[in-house]
Amino acid sequence: RPGRFDRMVLVPLPDREAREEILRLRAGEKPHYINSRCASCFSCELFCPNDCNPYGLILYRWYQRYMEKGLPVRAQLAMPLEEVNFNTMARQHHTPRERELVEEWASNADSPQVVADSGGTVLYAGCNAQIFPCLLDTPMLDGLTIIGAQELCCGELYFRLGLMDVVQRQVSILEERFKRLGIRRMYVYCMAGFNNLSNVLPRHFGASFDFDIVYLGDWLLERIDSGEIVFDMPWKGTAAVQESCHAKVLGRRYQDVPRELMRRAGLEVVEMAHSRELSVCCGAACGARSYNPLNMGIQSMRQWGEARDSGAERLVAYCATCLLLLHMGRIIHPTRMPLYHLMEVLMQAAGEEPPHHLVASRARFIFTHIMARGIPRMLSPKRVKL
């Protein structure tokens, strides 16, 4: 479609090689580049001039690879439904207050009466919130009933890996639980969960959710406009934005909301060289192509380079997985550039004490435990089916 993305100049492969790779994928032949260079970042969906869903084709080939060979055991550490994973590691580092919050979310997620008392309106706390529950511990969210439990994973990570059978199982679990709870409106904390619940699962897996699904950022903007959230201590200075891959496919409006919240909090937004539709993965999804955490670390360091080159004083992520990966990247390649989650930015502007040091400490804790458990698994030839 001529002119659709005329600003796009970042092309991962020369045109001829990209076309040949797609032909190989369509024919079911072994790809030359997808398993070694694909960042699983949705960009091909935007580049395709004919809306042919090339990302879906890539994921299907990865699904075939998984069905044929299984997963290397090291990949299990990234799977939120496994017995030991990055989320269970995070829980070991939770403060007593965070444990109390997570227990309350799980209790709410199993209580139709609690949901009924809230008028059927809930805030869905997926894997992002389970890593850093402290980011939802704020008076700004007063009045929202939060639900969250390990078994209520939205399946986003499994989808990005092409594990379609696992995603389909999760659809059945989510449909049954949400219907039993009597949900009428659901706000979703992270962009990944929002895209998965409102778009991916209904469109590709036949999920039927008979309630409104709304991004939490929209709710926060409404509260600011109504005067219910007041920023008495606005920030000064500039910030670059780490884009969520999911915001690219959702469109400009969903890229604008986090930026507008940052501006309301007093920050001047500075765009990195590759931003919005051109943005590049934080590193989290880069491990999908080869199940290799080294690819994740390299990409995270690359993003830090872009952030510094932007000239911004700080980097802000609105996805907690991006936050985690970027904190891990700075462990490997230290930088003095501050990193914040969007909720930390809003908390401080509202006069609260953001959990900045706790977030950084948790990222180091998870990194250490992943390395301790992951290095032996990196050497293991064992493969598994989930």
Side-chain angles (χ1 to χ4, degrees):
R1 191 175 303 166
R4 184 179 178 194
F5 293 110
D6 54 3
R7 290 180 59 252
M8 290 192 170
V9 294
L10 178 65
V11 180
L13 289 175
D15 186 69
R16 178 181 59 81
E17 293 182 32
R19 290 174 183 273
E20 290 174 354
E21 185 76 341
I22 286 292
L23 290 174
R24 281 188 287 270
L25 286 169
R26 288 177 59 186
E29 300 172 2
K30 184 177 180 179
H32 290 178
Y33 302 103
I34 294 301
N35 295 340
S36 62
R37 291 179 62 178
C38 177
S40 190
C41 67
F42 294 110
S43 291
C44 55
E45 296 288 278
L46 305 176
F47 282 109
C48 178
N50 300 310
D51 296 324
C52 289
N53 190 218
Y55 185 64
L57 179 58
I58 291 170
L59 293 184
Y60 181 67
R61 295 305 178 207
W62 284 352
Y63 173 64
Q64 290 180 314
R65 177 182 65 175
Y66 162 68
M67 294 303 292
E68 179 184 345
K69 299 179 179 180
L71 289 176
V73 289
R74 62 179 178 266
Q76 289 180 288
L77 294 177
M79 305 288 100
L81 294 171
E82 294 301 293
E83 184 176 353
V84 177
N85 62 74
F86 68 97
N87 255 326
T88 61
M89 295 173 192
R91 290 192 194 103
Q92 295 176 43
H93 193 264
H94 283 176
T95 64
R97 169 60 178 165
E98 287 180 305
R99 294 191 191 101
E100 179 184 323
L101 288 172
V102 171
E103 289 173 4
E104 179 183 331
W105 300 347
S107 176
N108 293 342
D110 201 35
S111 175
Q113 186 58 54
V114 168
V115 174
D117 291 343
S118 69
T121 297
V122 299
L123 170 59
Y124 173 81
C127 300
N128 267 234
Q130 304 288 331
I131 305 171
F132 303 113
C134 52
L135 295 177
L136 293 184
D137 190 15
T138 166
M140 289 186 291
L141 301 180
D142 284 352
L144 280 180
T145 296
I146 303 178
I147 65 169
Q150 183 176 3
E151 69 271 17
L152 295 184
C153 166
C154 74
E156 189 270 346
L157 281 169
Y158 296 92
F159 175 68
R160 300 286 285 277
L161 282 164
L163 308 184
M164 305 306 179
D165 54 337
V166 180
V167 181
Q168 196 67 64
R169 290 202 300 267
Q170 280 306 110
V171 166
S172 299
I173 292 170
L174 294 173
E175 285 180 326
E176 187 279 328
R177 180 71 68 88
F178 293 161
K179 184 176 182 179
R180 178 162 61 87
L181 288 173
I183 295 171
R184 300 176 63 184
R185 169 167 287 210
M186 175 183 287
Y187 293 102
V188 184
Y189 165 59
C190 69
M191 196 72 76
F194 173 72
N195 184 39
N196 229 45
L197 292 169
S198 66
N199 178 32
V200 173
L201 298 186
R203 179 182 176 191
H204 299 295
F205 296 90
S208 177
F209 302 130
D210 56 352
F211 49 81
D212 296 328
I213 301 175
V214 183
Y215 175 49
L216 179 64
D218 289 319
W219 183 85
L220 289 167
L221 279 176
E222 289 177 4
R223 298 258 292 183
I224 294 168
D225 288 338
S226 68
E228 295 173 85
I229 294 176
V230 178
F231 294 142
D232 292 322
M233 298 180 63
W235 290 68
K236 295 181 180 179
T238 59
V241 183
Q242 171 59 44
E243 205 80 72
S244 165
C245 292
H246 292 270
K248 291 194 292 185
V249 293
L250 287 168
R252 279 291 175 114
R253 195 181 88 74
Y254 290 97
Q255 299 158 26
D256 287 339
V257 169
R259 287 167 170 79
E260 182 60 25
L261 286 168
M262 290 167 62
R263 292 189 187 99
R264 300 289 185 94
L267 288 172
E268 178 187 346
V269 176
V270 175
E271 300 293 356
M272 293 196 286
H274 298 103
S275 64
R276 294 188 179 268
E277 293 89 357
L278 285 173
S279 64
V280 186
C281 173
C282 65
C286 287
R289 61 185 181 236
S290 58
Y291 317 117
N292 191 341
L294 179 62
N295 294 330
M296 301 165 72
I298 291 172
Q299 179 57 32
S300 177
M301 289 188 288
R302 178 195 179 282
Q303 286 303 93
W304 273 116
E306 278 220 359
R308 290 191 297 270
D309 290 345
S310 73
E313 296 171 87
R314 55 190 64 82
L315 179 60
V316 175
Y318 54 91
C319 165
T321 302
C322 292
L323 184 75
L324 177 63
L325 262 291
L326 290 168
H327 268 300
M328 288 182 173
R330 73 188 304 162
I331 294 171
I332 303 169
H333 187 66
T335 173
R336 292 185 178 182
M337 188 177 191
L339 170 65
Y340 298 93
H341 189 274
L342 176 60
M343 290 302 298
E344 291 181 276
V345 170
L346 302 182
M347 285 179 184
Q348 184 162 317
E352 303 174 43
E353 184 68 32
H356 188 61
H357 296 294
L358 176 60
V359 168
S361 172
R362 179 150 311 143
R364 290 192 295 271
F365 180 88
I366 295 173
F367 178 83
T368 301
H369 279 67
I370 284 179
M371 293 299 292
R373 292 177 178 270
I375 289 177
R377 294 187 182 213
M378 286 288 291
L379 304 175
S380 173
K382 185 178 178 181
R383 301 181 79 92
V384 296
K385 291 282 185 68
L386 303 182

